[in-house]
Amino acid sequence: MAIRPLGDRVLIEVVEEDVQKQGVLYIPDSAKEKPQQGKVIAVGKGKYENGTLVEVEVKEGDIVLYGKYAGTEIKNDGKEYLIVRESDILAIVS
Amino acid sequence: MAIRPLGDRVLIEVVEEDVQKQGVLYIPDSAKEKPQQGKVIAVGKGKYENGTLVEVEVKEGDIVLYGKYAGTEIKNDGKEYLIVRESDILAIVS
Amino acid sequence: MAIRPLGDRVLIEVVEEDVQKQGVLYIPDSAKEKPQQGKVIAVGKGKYENGTLVEVEVKEGDIVLYGKYAGTEIKNDGKEYLIVRESDILAIVS
Amino acid sequence: MAIRPLGDRVLIEVVEEDVQKQGVLYIPDSAKEKPQQGKVIAVGKGKYENGTLVEVEVKEGDIVLYGKYAGTEIKNDGKEYLIVRESDILAIVS
Amino acid sequence: MAIRPLGDRVLIEVVEEDVQKQGVLYIPDSAKEKPQQGKVIAVGKGKYENGTLVEVEVKEGDIVLYGKYAGTEIKNDGKEYLIVRESDILAIVS
Amino acid sequence: MAIRPLGDRVLIEVVEEDVQKQGVLYIPDSAKEKPQQGKVIAVGKGKYENGTLVEVEVKEGDIVLYGKYAGTEIKNDGKEYLIVRESDILAIVS
Amino acid sequence: MAIRPLGDRVLIEVVEEDVQKQGVLYIPDSAKEKPQQGKVIAVGKGKYENGTLVEVEVKEGDIVLYGKYAGTEIKNDGKEYLIVRESDILAIVS
């Protein structure tokens, strides 16, 4: 099943935690919000600001950091995905 | 009875849960908001942003994911419908 | 007494509940907000968005669905009316 | 003493309740907000939306309905007045 | 010491209560917000709306009504003043 | 160390209280917010409103009144400073 | 791993507290929010205001003051970073 996000939403494939940690990103032990890593699968066409369409900055294939509590979870063909608004995405890592 | 949604509202025919599960979409067991599946029956003409009409992105016949607690329920000719704002629709599935 | 709503307000004649039920619309038993049915008697001239007048989408004679707790009740010549903002109207039924 | 309201404010002379009831308007017994009747004495020059002046829709002499708890009361030469924002006025009656 | 208000702020010299009452304005005994009277001493240059400067509507010397709890009190050369935003001023009296 | 405020922020050198009182400004004993006096050391370049840069109205050297609880304190070379948004500044005194 | 912030976000390398104190900046003992010092590593491309892109005012290499509780912490190659919105940055120090 293909999922096409609406507006400024982004479909993210969740990267498992242990894969995240053995790599490069480690989240320090503090009270602040902790970001998660994921892979962009699909993006919406953007949102309107004052009648002008502003496109989504991330694109398919980008590895992104996003807030842990952001978005809506869905499962499709056995994999876990998240639909978040682009404003919940903090950065692209490469 | 025909129902024509106003503004950026969308009329959705609710897809029953067991139909959803045996298909492709399964919602994982977590505290996050769980999306529902439905079929778009009718859409409003859009909403004005700064005096410019922005049309609704979904169209009649689209299968969509939307937030579980979104919208207003109505029953018409024995079927259950939901009127939601387009911003409550997360994605189109196909 | 004639009542002319201001701005994006709409004057609605309330349709009695038993008339609603024996017709086509039945509201399911749930915790969600339940819409009511009414007939548009008069509409305001619209509201300004960024200095541009956006007219009201409904018109006199339309049968509309609106949120149960919306608006201000008035009684005029023995009939019950409601003054609501257009954004409280969900759909036109026909 | 003359009182000239500022911006989108409107000066209303309060119509006494028993005059209201013996006329045409009766407010039903419910939990909803109940409108009051009054006569427009003076209006402000309007308010700016995005740098454009939007004039007040009501004019001197109009009989209007407004929310019971709206505005600021003043007494001038023995009469009671109310200064409300135009958005607190629901409708013009005639 | 001269005080020049910034933006859409207005410097008001407070008119003492007994002067107010023996004149024309009497505030009725109710739960509503009660306006005060004062004299405009200086006005700011206005505020920007969408990049356009909107000037302050009141001018030096105007006698104004304003909400009792509005603004910031200062004392200068033995007199009491108030700095309020123009939106806290209800009307000009004359 | 030089400190350059960002956006519509202003760097203020705090004027000590006893200096304030023996001068001209005395804050009356009431429950209202009490303004403080300070000297502008540096200003940001302004903020964008609808894509247009609106410059800061105060300038280096101005003596200003600002809300007591506004801004962020910093100490630099033994002196106390405050970084406030321009909207927290009430007036320029001279 | 390279981290590219999105929108008006800024990637900051946290400067350790003792380095901050022995230098020039000392935060006084009060209840107000205390700023932190950091070095800008990367900036997003800016954010859209009314359809116009407003670029980020800080640039790579700037030493900045930011609110203590702002942003999201990440650790990369053993160093601590913070991703903040530009509006959380108070000033550039030099």
Side-chain angles (χ1 to χ4, degrees):
Chain A
M1 182 177 68
I3 298 172
R4 180 160 68 82
L6 282 192
D8 63 337
R9 288 188 182 83
V10 175
L11 180 70
I12 292 176
E13 189 184 330
V14 180
V15 175
E16 286 175 32
E17 287 228 5
D18 53 331
V19 175
Q20 288 187 38
K21 280 179 184 166
Q22 75 180 199
V24 281
L25 192 78
Y26 168 76
I27 296 114
D29 181 28
S30 82
K32 292 211 182 180
E33 188 197 359
K34 294 169 185 182
Q36 302 280 308
Q37 232 178 304
K39 186 180 172 183
V40 174
I41 302 301
V43 301
K45 69 176 195 181
K47 78 168 168 190
Y48 286 88
E49 295 242 333
N50 255 9
T52 308
L53 182 67
V54 176
E55 291 189 7
V56 174
E57 199 179 335
V58 298
K59 61 179 195 303
E60 205 189 307
D62 282 346
I63 305 299
V64 294
L65 299 178
Y66 58 89
K68 190 175 189 171
Y69 301 108
T72 304
E73 288 176 347
I74 55 175
K75 216 172 199 172
N76 188 18
D77 298 336
K79 283 186 187 162
E80 273 183 45
Y81 296 93
L82 210 59
I83 298 178
V84 301
R85 291 189 173 273
E86 193 193 16
S87 60
D88 292 322
I89 302 182
L90 304 170
I92 300 171
V93 300
S94 56
Chain B
M1 183 178 67
I3 298 172
R4 179 160 68 82
L6 282 192
D8 63 337
R9 287 187 183 82
V10 176
L11 180 70
I12 291 175
E13 188 185 330
V14 180
V15 175
E16 286 176 33
E17 287 227 6
D18 53 330
V19 174
Q20 288 186 39
K21 279 177 184 167
Q22 74 180 201
V24 281
L25 193 78
Y26 169 76
I27 296 115
D29 181 29
S30 82
K32 292 211 181 179
E33 189 197 358
K34 295 170 186 181
Q36 302 280 309
Q37 233 176 303
K39 186 180 172 183
V40 174
I41 302 302
V43 302
K45 70 175 194 181
K47 78 169 167 189
Y48 285 88
E49 296 241 333
N50 255 8
T52 309
L53 182 66
V54 175
E55 292 188 6
V56 174
E57 199 178 335
V58 298
K59 60 179 196 302
E60 206 189 305
D62 282 347
I63 304 299
V64 294
L65 298 179
Y66 58 89
K68 190 174 189 171
Y69 301 109
T72 304
E73 289 175 347
I74 55 175
K75 216 173 198 172
N76 189 16
D77 299 335
K79 284 187 188 161
E80 274 184 43
Y81 296 93
L82 209 59
I83 298 178
V84 301
R85 291 189 173 274
E86 193 194 16
S87 60
D88 292 322
I89 302 181
L90 304 170
I92 300 171
V93 299
S94 57
Chain C
M1 183 176 67
I3 298 172
R4 179 161 67 82
L6 283 191
D8 63 336
R9 288 187 183 85
V10 176
L11 180 69
I12 292 176
E13 189 184 330
V14 180
V15 176
E16 285 174 34
E17 287 227 6
D18 53 330
V19 175
Q20 288 187 38
K21 279 178 184 166
Q22 73 180 200
V24 282
L25 193 77
Y26 169 76
I27 295 114
D29 181 28
S30 82
K32 293 212 181 180
E33 189 196 358
K34 295 169 185 180
Q36 301 281 309
Q37 232 177 305
K39 185 181 172 183
V40 174
I41 301 302
V43 302
K45 69 175 195 182
K47 77 170 168 188
Y48 286 88
E49 294 242 335
N50 255 9
T52 308
L53 182 66
V54 176
E55 292 188 8
V56 174
E57 198 178 336
V58 297
K59 59 179 198 302
E60 208 188 304
D62 282 346
I63 305 298
V64 295
L65 298 179
Y66 58 89
K68 189 174 190 172
Y69 301 108
T72 303
E73 287 176 347
I74 56 176
K75 214 172 200 173
N76 189 16
D77 299 335
K79 284 187 187 160
E80 274 184 43
Y81 297 93
L82 208 61
I83 298 178
V84 301
R85 292 188 173 274
E86 193 193 17
S87 59
D88 292 321
I89 301 181
L90 304 170
I92 301 170
V93 300
S94 57
Chain D
M1 184 177 67
I3 298 172
R4 179 162 67 82
L6 283 191
D8 63 337
R9 288 187 182 84
V10 176
L11 180 69
I12 291 175
E13 190 183 328
V14 180
V15 175
E16 285 174 33
E17 287 227 7
D18 53 330
V19 176
Q20 288 186 38
K21 279 178 186 167
Q22 73 181 199
V24 282
L25 193 77
Y26 169 75
I27 296 114
D29 182 28
S30 81
K32 293 212 183 181
E33 188 198 358
K34 294 169 187 181
Q36 301 281 309
Q37 231 177 306
K39 186 181 173 183
V40 174
I41 301 302
V43 301
K45 69 175 194 182
K47 76 170 169 187
Y48 286 88
E49 295 242 335
N50 255 10
T52 308
L53 182 66
V54 176
E55 292 188 7
V56 174
E57 198 178 335
V58 298
K59 60 179 197 301
E60 208 188 304
D62 282 347
I63 305 298
V64 295
L65 298 179
Y66 57 90
K68 190 175 190 172
Y69 301 107
T72 304
E73 287 176 347
I74 56 178
K75 216 172 198 171
N76 189 17
D77 299 334
K79 283 187 188 160
E80 272 184 46
Y81 297 93
L82 208 61
I83 298 178
V84 301
R85 292 188 172 274
E86 193 193 16
S87 60
D88 292 321
I89 302 180
L90 303 171
I92 301 171
V93 300
S94 57
Chain E
M1 184 178 67
I3 299 172
R4 180 160 69 80
L6 283 191
D8 63 337
R9 288 188 182 83
V10 175
L11 180 70
I12 292 175
E13 190 184 328
V14 180
V15 175
E16 286 175 33
E17 287 227 6
D18 52 330
V19 176
Q20 289 186 38
K21 279 178 186 167
Q22 73 180 199
V24 282
L25 193 76
Y26 169 75
I27 296 115
D29 182 29
S30 81
K32 292 212 183 181
E33 188 196 359
K34 294 169 185 181
Q36 301 281 308
Q37 231 178 305
K39 186 182 173 184
V40 174
I41 302 301
V43 301
K45 68 175 194 182
K47 77 170 169 186
Y48 286 89
E49 295 241 334
N50 255 9
T52 308
L53 182 66
V54 176
E55 291 189 7
V56 174
E57 198 178 335
V58 299
K59 60 179 196 302
E60 207 188 305
D62 282 347
I63 305 298
V64 295
L65 298 179
Y66 57 89
K68 191 175 190 172
Y69 301 108
T72 304
E73 288 176 346
I74 56 177
K75 215 173 199 171
N76 189 17
D77 299 335
K79 283 186 187 159
E80 272 184 45
Y81 296 93
L82 208 60
I83 298 178
V84 301
R85 292 189 173 273
E86 193 194 17
S87 59
D88 292 322
I89 301 180
L90 303 170
I92 300 171
V93 300
S94 58
Chain F
M1 183 177 68
I3 298 172
R4 180 161 68 80
L6 283 192
D8 63 337
R9 289 187 182 84
V10 176
L11 180 71
I12 291 175
E13 189 184 329
V14 180
V15 176
E16 287 175 30
E17 286 227 6
D18 53 330
V19 175
Q20 289 187 37
K21 279 178 185 166
Q22 73 180 200
V24 282
L25 192 77
Y26 169 76
I27 296 116
D29 181 30
S30 82
K32 291 211 182 181
E33 189 197 358
K34 294 169 184 181
Q36 302 281 309
Q37 232 177 305
K39 186 181 172 183
V40 174
I41 302 301
V43 301
K45 69 175 195 182
K47 78 169 168 188
Y48 286 88
E49 295 241 336
N50 255 9
T52 308
L53 182 67
V54 176
E55 292 189 7
V56 174
E57 197 178 336
V58 299
K59 60 178 196 303
E60 207 188 305
D62 282 346
I63 305 299
V64 294
L65 298 178
Y66 57 89
K68 191 175 189 172
Y69 302 108
T72 304
E73 289 175 347
I74 56 176
K75 216 173 200 171
N76 189 17
D77 300 336
K79 283 185 187 161
E80 273 184 44
Y81 296 93
L82 208 60
I83 298 177
V84 301
R85 291 189 173 274
E86 193 194 16
S87 59
D88 292 322
I89 301 181
L90 303 170
I92 300 171
V93 300
S94 57
Chain G
M1 184 176 69
I3 298 172
R4 180 160 68 81
L6 282 192
D8 63 337
R9 288 187 183 84
V10 175
L11 180 70
I12 291 176
E13 189 184 329
V14 181
V15 175
E16 286 175 32
E17 286 228 6
D18 53 332
V19 175
Q20 288 187 38
K21 279 178 184 167
Q22 74 180 199
V24 281
L25 192 77
Y26 168 76
I27 296 116
D29 181 29
S30 81
K32 291 212 182 180
E33 188 197 358
K34 295 169 184 180
Q36 302 280 309
Q37 232 177 305
K39 187 181 172 182
V40 174
I41 301 301
V43 301
K45 69 175 195 182
K47 78 169 167 188
Y48 286 88
E49 296 241 335
N50 255 10
T52 309
L53 182 67
V54 176
E55 292 188 6
V56 174
E57 198 178 335
V58 298
K59 61 178 195 302
E60 206 189 306
D62 282 346
I63 304 299
V64 294
L65 298 179
Y66 58 89
K68 191 176 188 170
Y69 302 108
T72 304
E73 289 176 347
I74 56 175
K75 215 173 200 171
N76 189 17
D77 299 335
K79 283 186 187 161
E80 273 183 43
Y81 297 93
L82 209 60
I83 298 178
V84 301
R85 291 188 173 274
E86 193 193 16
S87 60
D88 292 322
I89 301 181
L90 303 170
I92 301 171
V93 301
S94 56

